[in-house]
Amino acid sequence: MPLYVEKKPEVLITEDGVRTDGRKPYEMRPVRMTVGILDKADGSAFIEWGGNKILAAVFGPREVHPKHLVLPDKALVRTRYNMAPFSTPERKRPGPDRRSVELSKVIREALKPAIFVENYPGSVIDIFIEVLRSDAGTRVAGVNAASLALANAGIAMRGLVAACAVGRVGDFVVCDPNHDEDMWGDADMPMAMLMEAEEITLLQTDGPMTEEQFREALKLGRNSIRFLYEMQKEALKRPYQVVERSVRGVV
Ligand code: ADP
């Protein structure tokens, strides 16, 4: 018997586009980024985004164990996305599950095009993403934090990868879906981009959209990602300092 029962809000978005948390369709939840908070890791970052609290740590380039995984001409990139048992309203069973294995893979694929893996033959770069509190959009929050942690570790990169989810609620295309919208909205579309190359490195979607809505979502996603990318650059210049945007109407 679940201890915690989710209740669907009566109205997910009003006719004039007010969402369950009071945001307008194009507004993002408040974001805070902090770089370099773990002195035992080669690189680290912490992101708070809405109710998400996510830590990323990077180790490497370092020696590969087990040895048979060595790639002679490039670095192996490993990613582990993990949700803490206390990160959800009801205790999450510790350890990997299907979802965390999938998210580890999509996050790795979102980040890898940014890394000059050929610079580090025979070594491994390990990326850990620990979700301490989850509140929808953890994969994109994880990508932003991990990208910062990689840069903080001094890994050679083509550029930073920034990420944001967009979605659809009724007739509205929305930025950064919240938990209600993630659960009961009509479509969710996490996106990541390698900004320097204007390359999309992650694009997933569930739920139907018209072609027009899809184009609008793509544009909103790109603008939102650009905004986060500017924050990332600022956070990297100021390690150990919180870089924060609470103004929501930015995109
Ligand atoms: P994302 O976090 O990238 O949006 P999902 O769409 O799979 O990934 O999950 C949406 C949200 O559902 C998560 O951010 C989290 O808040 C919640 N969630 C995921 N797994 C669990 C779980 N095991 N228990 C409770 N909530 C969960």
Side-chain angles (χ1 to χ4, degrees), residues 41 83 123 156 229:
M83 263 175 135
S123 68
Y229 171 62

Side-chain angles (χ1 to χ4, degrees), residues 6 52 81 83 87-90 92 97 99 103 134-140 179 182-183 188 190:
E6 302 255 8
N52 291 309
Y81 165 102
M83 263 175 135
S87 65
T88 53
E90 213 183 325
K92 188 208 159 278
D97 51 26
R99 179 176 170 275
L103 294 205
S134 80
D135 185 30
T138 59
R139 81 192 66 194
V140 286
H179 184 72
D182 207 88
M183 291 271 294
D188 180 24

Side-chain angles (χ1 to χ4, degrees), residues 79 81 96-106 108:
T79 309
Y81 165 102
D97 51 26
R98 281 180 57 163
R99 179 176 170 275
S100 65
V101 172
E102 183 209 322
L103 294 205
S104 300
K105 180 177 187 286
V106 300
R108 182 173 62 251

Side-chain angles (χ1 to χ4, degrees), residues 146-160:
S147 175
L148 284 173
L150 282 164
N152 182 233
I155 305 285
M157 291 162 83
R158 289 185 177 85
L160 290 165

Side-chain angles (χ1 to χ4, degrees), residues 26 166-168 173-174 189 191 200 203 205 208-223:
Y26 279 20
V166 288
R168 178 173 73 83
V173 168
V174 297
M189 189 167 99
M191 283 176 67
I200 297 173
L203 182 70
T205 161
M209 277 190 260
T210 63
E211 191 178 327
E212 195 183 332
Q213 285 164 341
F214 175 72
R215 285 184 198 285
E216 186 185 340
L218 206 57
K219 190 168 161 201
L220 178 60
R222 180 165 7 94
N223 289 342

